[in-house]
DNA sequence: ATGAAAGCGCTAACAG
DNA sequence: CTGTTAGCGCTTTCAT
């Protein structure tokens, strides 16, 4: 930076002003500074910048590379953060690198908040983190912790799914649950309660699973090796639904002719034309906005008590759900036609 | 840090030594320093550290969140980098955030190298980057640029696929290509050349595509609306193959009974039990090692000319390829059985 | 084994 | 509109 200043013949402070386009430099100067910087290949050193102001303006995001939903949310976060002058710093959680480690790293870069997507972390370590830095958990609620929670109403989400199926005439509706994964308990309760409300107590069937395609495939096996094949299944998330879907198709089961399938997340996976999965939408754009809202409140408005924001889910009906067909147990599979991201929405 | 030093009653320098476990502090002191740090919630500030030594020990990784292959590679990179004392800093490329922008950000954090996975970037901007910092491109070769290239032999990869199919008796083998995506041209040439070598000039059929599930689905439409359905298809990558697979299954086409399908990358997608895709393996662990090797050579051994490392691909045979069945055009779909990640390998 | 002091590149506060 | 100055938290000599 000193080089640039010397080259232009101004002070370093002025160059600094120009680069963070703060007021106080003439247009002519700005021009010359940028030109000199380009020539000299100067690039601001953000380590020095972070060190000097005592704010990094970094938002640490903990996410899982494999989850399409996480990618959706991160992508939605980028432009919003940029507009507010924040940088997103990614901390990937991988099999060899737990949340704890990833979080430590983000904190060493002085992230001002931690946005944890689909936290599988325990309460105690999370509480420890939250005592150092505001934590915003997306997709899971933490009672009694000073952690903001932003999630959709999982209970209502599954309720929408069950009611959609009931309207289509389904009664034998199974649920592949998400075990201890974020949101799973609410979804399970939504399933059980709504089934009961419709007098379908005897049809309640929860198949243990998680949020991977594998668990959907395993559930398919379980269902197929059983005499009692349900006419509809609500999976714990889209990945699980896709695993289920694929295994059913391979087994010659026609969807939705013989079995209707509903996913959860309405991730890009669900929208792909060859999947075209009816799914409960988490409304990612609104979630991203809610996250940034929480960030601003914490960082700029001095809020220090936890807040919970529950968003309303909606059901995006695509082509994996249809009316129950009492007869025709071995009808020929259906050929898909057109259709991209669309789908009717209801809430 | 001053707090910790004061608390223990030593100088800041000593605390510093302890934290980067450099020699020169007694075990007793180390103990006390760590204890005090834990009590005070001290965490080293990596901005200050980076600023002071003139090395960040950051490896910038540019990747695409949606590509399973990228996730595979990044996951493999983490432990290797850690062992060598480097930190990985992720730069995600999203629709709203091109390679250029992501790269700028990584450079502002003073990444010492840029590892670009599946670079879709143009030659000129890449050359500009490469003049500032060593660039290691994974999956694509750049002629005439000072950019290291690490990739598998795409030509040979597709050759393996074609020959596997030929051995199974296939002649009508189509290829969905990857357009201008990384590696696509080599794969296309491998397909064309190998087909010709086997006297299958007249069967050559390249369907335009890219590396997304959508393009696989589009290719399926194209194939189905045609009288001339091939008995086998080699897709440009696994995502494309999965899109194809799914659309074929939905159309009632049995795989591999009626059509065999081969993917490329052998990503986790291919290994999922319900997909079980025969795929050309890029051998991610070796690629990750090659990447780190290149990093070390550039950063520690002073290498400054570009190097190209071409790895041998191998074919992982799973259950989407099988012998050609001349008759039985409408055999009932096959029910999958067991099987997880395995698969026979040949190279 | 430990300490003192200088300085990395930048920004903020103030002066002109 | 532009310049001066001090110092962010750490590492690194060089002493002790």
């Amino acid at each position: 930076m000193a080089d640039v200043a010397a080259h232009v013949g101004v002070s370093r402070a002025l160059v600094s002003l120009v680069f963070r386009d703060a007021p106080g430099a003439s247009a002519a100067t700005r021009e010359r500074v940028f030109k000199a910087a380009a020539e000299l290949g100067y690039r601001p050193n953000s380590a020095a910048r972070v060190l000097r102001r005592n704010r990094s303006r970094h938002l640490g995001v903990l996410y899982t590379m494999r989850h399409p939903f996480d990618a959706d949310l991160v992508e939605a976060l980028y432009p919003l953060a940029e507009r507010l002058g924040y940088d997103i710093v990614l901390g990937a959680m991988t099999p060899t690198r737990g949340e704890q480690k990833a979080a430590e790293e983000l904190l060493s870069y002085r992230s001002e908040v931690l946005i944890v997507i689909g936290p599988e972390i325990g309460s105690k370590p999370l509480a420890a983190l939250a005592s150092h830095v505001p934590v915003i958990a997306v997709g899971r609620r933490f009672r009694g912790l000073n952690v903001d929670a932003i999630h959709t109403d999982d209970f209502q989400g599954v309720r929408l799914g069950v009611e959609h199926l009931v309207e289509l005439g389904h009664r034998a509706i199974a649920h592949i649950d998400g075990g201890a994964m974020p949101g799973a308990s609410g979804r399970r309760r939504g399933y059980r309660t709504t089934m009961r409300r419709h007098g379908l107590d005897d049809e309640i069937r929860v198949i243990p699973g998680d949020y991977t395609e594998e668990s959907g495939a395993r559930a398919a096996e379980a269902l197929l090796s059983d005499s009692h094949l349900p006419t509809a299944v609500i999976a714990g998330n889209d990945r699980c639904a896709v695993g289920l879907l694929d295994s059913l198709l391979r087994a010659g089961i026609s969807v939705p002719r013989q079995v209707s399938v509903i996913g959860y997340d309405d991730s890009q996976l669900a929208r792909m034309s060859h999947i075209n999965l009816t799914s409960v939408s988490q409304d990612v754009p609104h979630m991203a906005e809610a996250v940034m809202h929480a960030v601003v409140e914490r960082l700029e408005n001095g809020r220090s008590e936890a807040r919970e924001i529950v968003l309303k889910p909606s059901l995006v009906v695509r082509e994996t759900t249809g009316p129950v067909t009492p007869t025709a147990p071995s009808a020929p599979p259906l050929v898909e036609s057109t259709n991209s991201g669309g789908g009717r929405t209801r809430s």
Side-chain angles (χ1 to χ4, degrees), chain A residues 156-281:
Chain A
Q156 295 300 330
V158 172
R159 184 183 64 76
L160 289 174
V162 172
E163 287 181 347
H164 168 60
L165 292 169
V166 167
E167 280 172 29
L168 289 170
H170 294 272
R171 294 178 51 83
I173 301 168
H175 175 50
I176 309 173
D177 86 338
M181 300 296 287
S185 72
R187 293 175 201 178
R188 205 159 40 227
R189 280 189 298 104
Y191 167 73
R192 285 217 160 90
T193 305
T194 311
M195 288 293 280
R196 265 188 238 111
R197 263 185 211 156
H198 287 274
L200 299 175
D201 306 51
D202 294 343
E203 303 285 358
I204 288 178
R205 183 161 177 208
V206 176
I207 301 158
D210 54 38
Y211 285 167
T212 66
E213 291 86 355
E214 292 294 346
S215 83
R218 275 197 303 276
E221 272 179 52
L223 290 171
L224 290 166
S225 68
D226 218 51
S227 53
H228 179 60
L229 190 69
T231 66
V233 182
I234 300 186
N237 77 341
D238 285 347
R239 285 182 66 188
C240 174
V242 167
L244 172 73
L245 214 55
D246 206 78
S247 292
L248 290 178
L249 291 173
R250 277 166 192 266
I253 306 291
S254 166
V255 175
R257 190 74 57 93
Q258 290 168 266
V259 177
S260 287
V261 174
I262 296 186
Y264 205 110
D265 281 349
D266 187 33
S267 59
Q268 293 213 355
L269 214 53
R271 290 178 212 138
M272 293 190 309
S273 68
H274 63 291
I275 305 263
N276 233 323
L277 179 70
T278 294
S279 184
V280 179
S281 169

Side-chain angles (χ1 to χ4, degrees), chain A residues 24-273:
Chain A
S26 66
T29 308
R30 299 195 114 79
E31 186 73 15
R32 288 164 59 219
V33 166
F34 282 129
K35 193 155 154 286
E39 276 172 29
L40 301 175
Y42 167 77
R43 203 184 300 280
N45 181 329
S46 60
R49 164 178 297 192
V50 165
L51 187 57
R52 174 59 227 232
R53 2 178 164 157
N54 243 347
R55 295 199 52 183
S56 66
R57 300 197 75 89
H58 286 348
L59 310 180
V61 176
L62 287 169
Y63 76 108
T64 308
M65 298 195 119
R66 306 274 173 212
H67 293 343
F69 174 77
D70 292 25
D72 286 346
L73 190 66
V74 172
E75 288 191 359
L77 245 22
Y78 266 116
L80 301 182
E82 182 169 11
R83 199 164 310 142
L84 293 167
Y86 290 99
D87 283 343
I88 284 187
V89 183
L90 298 176
M93 305 181 287
T94 74
T96 63
R97 201 160 166 280
E99 316 213 2
Q100 199 59 38
K101 194 162 181 181
E104 291 294 336
E105 195 175 298
L106 294 184
L107 289 183
S108 85
Y109 299 147
R110 289 299 183 268
S111 281
E112 300 184 18
V113 300
L114 244 34
I115 298 166
V116 198
I117 308 181
E120 295 170 35
I121 194 173
S123 270
K124 282 152 292 177
L126 194 65
L129 290 175
S131 67
H132 292 305
V133 63
V135 172
I136 298 168
V138 179
R140 165 168 279 182
R141 192 181 43 182
F142 288 89
R143 292 167 311 177
L145 258 48
N146 185 11
V147 167
D148 292 349
I150 290 164
H151 57 102
T152 48
D153 189 331
D154 293 301
F155 185 99
Q156 295 300 330
V158 172
R159 184 183 64 76
L160 289 174
V162 172
E163 287 181 347
H164 168 60
L165 292 169
V166 167
E167 280 172 29
L168 289 170
H170 294 272
R171 294 178 51 83
I173 301 168
H175 175 50
I176 309 173
D177 86 338
M181 300 296 287
S185 72
R187 293 175 201 178
R188 205 159 40 227
R189 280 189 298 104
Y191 167 73
R192 285 217 160 90
T193 305
T194 311
M195 288 293 280
R196 265 188 238 111
R197 263 185 211 156
H198 287 274
L200 299 175
D201 306 51
D202 294 343
E203 303 285 358
I204 288 178
R205 183 161 177 208
V206 176
I207 301 158
D210 54 38
Y211 285 167
T212 66
E213 291 86 355
E214 292 294 346
S215 83
R218 275 197 303 276
E221 272 179 52
L223 290 171
L224 290 166
S225 68
D226 218 51
S227 53
H228 179 60
L229 190 69
T231 66
V233 182
I234 300 186
N237 77 341
D238 285 347
R239 285 182 66 188
C240 174
V242 167
L244 172 73
L245 214 55
D246 206 78
S247 292
L248 290 178
L249 291 173
R250 277 166 192 266
I253 306 291
S254 166
V255 175
R257 190 74 57 93
Q258 290 168 266
V259 177
S260 287
V261 174
I262 296 186
Y264 205 110
D265 281 349
D266 187 33
S267 59
Q268 293 213 355
L269 214 53
R271 290 178 212 138
M272 293 190 309
S273 68

Side-chain angles (χ1 to χ4, degrees), chain A residues 298-314:
Chain A
R298 286 278 193 176
L299 259 28
E300 296 172 16
N301 304 344
R303 175 165 65 74
S304 59
E305 339 74 54
R307 273 253 285 153
E308 179 175 357
I309 293 170
V310 182
L311 296 171
K312 255 185 50 175
S314 59

Side-chain angles (χ1 to χ4, degrees), chain A residues 255-257 261 273 275-278 316-322 334-340 343:
Chain A
V255 175
R257 190 74 57 93
V261 174
S273 68
I275 305 263
N276 233 323
L277 179 70
T278 294
V316 181
V317 177
R318 295 204 184 83
E319 304 189 12
T320 56
T321 47
L334 200 60
V335 179
E336 287 299 304
S337 53
T338 59
N339 193 327
S340 54

